[in-house]
Amino acid sequence: MRRGEEEAEIDRLPIDLLAHILSLINCFKDLAQASGVCQKWKQAVKQSLARRERLSFAGWKMDDESTSRLVLYAYNLKELDIPRSRWGCQITDIGLYQISSAKCVSNLTSISLWGMTGITDKGVVQLISRTTSLQHLNIGGTFITDDSLFAIADSCPNLKTIVLWSCRHVTGSGLLILVNKCQKLKSIDVWGTRVPLDCFIGLLAISPALQIKPKELQLNIERVLMVPV
């Protein structure tokens, strides 16, 4: 600082306090602008991301690079929400590969990739293979197949809920492996899939307490089971 210049009040803030203030900002565009103010602010933005336990990109126009860059800084992340948005979220397998290298991935307990039509089994398997703490997963509205379900069954022993809403390429074989290996699974949403009713009866034979959604499907299964042989 040159002689005669007064230090701005905000510049006197310790970087930890500045990072706390920036952690309250949910607009990623604002964070990007803040990061460009100076080196101190750039470091504070990184620290603010490192403190976050949840990131949601709902409503934002994101791509592989911008999404993975933010996740890589979020060391303490527990919940990651990357849903389809009105702006057209452009996440692909490339983004999932980049995210899979983040330090936080093994600690994630919740992931939503709802409606991400640009991803395939290749990207999902890569990401899921590192999410050993995962409890809640939403991959509804995607084009995944049984290959993703096999990877989930092998890598996510703590899984409690999964949404497969309108995943029309999964089959009964994948669901049976999933329920058989994920013994903590409590709820599965299979609305819009093409799996026959007999398969769901088989799932309940493996896990009688399993909640199968939608509710109407569960009721149909119960009616079938009540019919005397």
Side-chain angles (χ1 to χ4, degrees):
M1 182 172 64
R2 291 177 296 183
R3 183 178 299 177
E5 290 183 346
E6 293 186 3
E7 186 179 21
E9 290 293 332
I10 197 168
D11 289 336
R12 298 177 186 178
L13 288 176
I15 191 169
D16 287 345
L17 182 55
L18 181 58
H20 174 71
I21 295 171
L22 292 173
S23 69
L24 302 177
I25 298 176
N26 292 320
C27 177
F28 299 113
K29 182 178 180 181
D30 290 345
L31 285 176
Q33 292 176 339
S35 183
V37 170
C38 63
Q39 190 61 35
K40 179 181 178 180
W41 278 55
K42 183 177 182 179
Q43 187 60 35
V45 169
K46 289 183 179 181
Q47 287 191 22
S48 73
L49 289 170
R51 296 179 180 184
R52 296 186 184 224
E53 293 190 355
R54 184 176 190 273
L55 276 181
S56 176
F57 299 107
W60 297 98
K61 186 177 182 180
M62 305 296 293
D63 57 21
D64 290 331
E65 183 179 352
S66 58
T67 303
S68 59
R69 182 170 62 249
L70 291 170
V71 175
L72 287 170
Y73 288 139
Y75 303 128
N76 293 306
L77 198 64
K78 297 291 182 62
E79 300 178 20
L80 178 60
D81 183 22
I82 316 177
R84 181 180 63 190
S85 71
R86 58 179 178 169
W87 302 108
C89 202
Q90 301 297 322
I91 305 300
T92 68
D93 288 341
I94 294 174
L96 296 187
Y97 264 80
Q98 293 170 340
I99 291 172
S100 70
S101 66
K103 293 181 179 180
C104 66
V105 168
S106 62
N107 295 320
L108 288 176
T109 59
S110 177
I111 297 177
S112 176
L113 301 172
W114 187 87
M116 292 290 96
T117 56
I119 63 175
T120 69
D121 288 322
K122 185 177 180 180
V124 173
V125 170
Q126 173 66 23
L127 177 61
I128 290 300
S129 64
R130 298 199 55 216
T131 56
T132 53
S133 299
L134 197 63
Q135 298 179 22
H136 308 285
L137 177 62
N138 185 344
I139 45 177
T142 65
F143 297 121
I144 60 122
T145 72
D146 286 346
D147 287 345
S148 288
L149 298 188
F150 297 151
I152 296 166
D154 289 335
S155 302
C156 306
N158 298 308
L159 193 68
K160 294 180 179 180
T161 67
I162 185 169
V163 176
L164 298 169
W165 183 92
S166 200
C167 290
R168 303 192 174 208
H169 300 291
V170 302
T171 72
S173 298
L175 292 177
L176 287 169
I177 293 294
L178 178 71
V179 174
N180 198 32
K181 288 191 175 182
C182 296
Q183 298 184 5
K184 295 182 180 180
L185 193 62
K186 296 179 179 179
S187 172
I188 182 169
D189 188 336
V190 291
W191 186 94
T193 61
R194 297 173 176 173
V195 180
L197 186 62
D198 288 349
C199 173
F200 299 119
I201 295 174
L203 297 184
L204 290 178
I206 298 172
S207 178
L210 181 67
Q211 294 295 310
I212 301 176
K213 300 180 180 179
K215 186 177 180 180
E216 293 78 5
L217 177 59
Q218 183 95 28
L219 292 173
N220 288 337
I221 296 172
E222 291 174 355
R223 290 192 189 100
V224 171
L225 293 175
M226 290 176 64
V227 174
V229 179

